[in-house]
Amino acid sequence: LDAVTAGRIMAYIAELHRERGMTVVLNLHDVAIARAYATRIIGLTEGRITFDGSPEELGDAELRTIYPPDEEDGGGEPITYNR
């Protein structure tokens, strides 16, 4: 989805959660969107939970565990995400 449409959909889902008390489970790979809308983030690495906490607790160290550098590419650059 383009950024505008994604934002509208996420805002609508957040509204459903707030107004109707609905539990929402989303599979997202966009860390910025997850941080902006989620109250809880669960990160998986090779099918195992490696992070379970609030968006504020999800730091660069946790992201490197969830998204490890590709060793075939020489380890890559460290992952950093602005908050």
Side-chain angles (χ1 to χ4, degrees):
L1 297 173
D2 63 273
V4 173
T5 303
R8 287 178 181 157
I9 289 170
M10 290 303 298
Y12 178 68
I13 291 170
E15 181 181 325
L16 289 174
H17 169 70
R18 278 190 313 275
E19 292 182 4
R20 298 186 187 182
M22 294 176 69
T23 297
V24 178
V25 178
L26 295 171
N27 178 7
L28 299 173
H29 293 264
D30 187 319
V31 174
I33 290 176
R35 279 191 172 135
Y37 291 95
T39 56
R40 177 181 176 195
I41 296 174
I42 299 173
L44 302 174
T45 305
E46 297 182 6
R48 297 184 186 274
I49 295 174
T50 55
F51 176 80
D52 185 351
S54 71
E56 296 78 22
E57 296 171 300
L58 182 61
D60 290 338
E62 292 79 14
L63 287 168
R64 281 190 290 277
T65 299
I66 297 167
Y67 300 109
D70 186 351
E71 295 302 323
E72 291 180 14
D73 290 335
E77 295 296 317
I79 295 175
T80 58
Y81 290 93
N82 296 329
R83 292 178 193 224

